[in-house]
Amino acid sequence: VNDCTLCNPANEAVLWYDNRCRITEVNNNDYPGYCRVIWHAHVREMSDLSVDDRRHLYFVVETVEEALRRVVRPDKINLASLGNQVPHLHWHVIPRFANDPHFPDPIWATPHRQAVPRSFDRMTLQRELVRRLAE
Ligand SMILES: [Zn+2]
C-alpha cells in the first residue's frame, strides 16, 4: 500500500502539468506564489531519473522561477528539494521578500516577524507558465 501524499494528492491546486510532472500552488498565506514542481512517479532522488528527465524537471523548475520573478516580483527565489518527510521527488520554488516572516532564514525555520499581506495575479502566473512551457 502506497500512502505517499504526493502519489495520492488531496486538494492540489495544479497550475500546469504534462506527462512527467506537475506544478502546484502551495496554499500558504504567508508565501503567496509558493509553488511545487512534483514528479509524477514515486522516485526519491534526482539521480533516479534519466538524464533527459532530469533536464526536463529542472527546466520546469527554472521556468516556474522565471514566471514568479515576473509576476510576484520577489526579492529572492528559494529553490529547495528536501523530501525528508515525503520521499517523493519534488522541488519547492518559493518567492521570498526581505520582510517575509522567516527572511533571511529558510521558510521552515523559526519565524522572525508577522507576515505582510501580499497578493499576486494567479491567472497571470498560470498564463505565464503555460506560455513559457509551450515553447
Ligand atoms: Zn509518491
Side-chain angles (χ1 to χ4, degrees):
V1 175
N2 177 356
D3 61 358
C4 170
T5 55
L6 295 181
C7 286
N8 303 285
N11 300 321
E12 246 181 8
V14 178
L15 297 174
W16 175 92
Y17 69 94
D18 69 2
N19 60 350
R20 288 187 269 188
C21 62
R22 61 192 185 269
I23 302 167
T24 66
E25 184 189 352
V26 177
N27 183 19
N28 183 326
N29 289 331
D30 290 350
Y31 290 97
Y34 177 0
C35 291
R36 285 195 191 106
V37 181
I38 303 166
W39 195 252
H40 290 324
H42 188 91
V43 299
R44 294 178 76 90
E45 314 289 355
M46 285 293 281
S47 53
D48 289 330
L49 301 180
S50 69
V51 170
D52 181 64
D53 283 347
R54 294 178 207 182
R55 287 191 180 130
H56 180 71
L57 178 55
Y58 208 72
F59 176 74
V60 174
V61 170
E62 290 168 343
T63 303
V64 175
E65 174 180 311
E66 287 175 337
L68 287 172
R69 289 182 72 188
R70 179 177 163 87
V71 177
V72 180
R73 300 199 170 278
D75 297 322
K76 186 70 184 74
I77 293 281
N78 285 177
L79 299 180
S81 180
L82 305 172
N84 299 336
Q85 297 185 34
V86 183
H88 175 138
L89 183 58
H90 63 284
W91 283 83
H92 303 267
V93 188
I94 313 162
R96 300 298 308 273
F97 290 88
N99 62 353
D100 74 34
H102 299 85
F103 203 88
D105 294 326
I107 67 162
W108 298 282
T110 303
H112 299 299
R113 64 189 73 83
Q114 294 281 322
V116 176
R118 229 182 279 282
S119 65
F120 72 100
D121 188 340
R122 181 170 289 98
M123 289 305 298
T124 303
L125 176 63
Q126 189 162 24
R127 261 200 308 274
E128 281 288 317
L129 292 170
V130 169
R131 181 179 67 77
R132 289 166 187 266
L133 290 166
E135 284 167 2

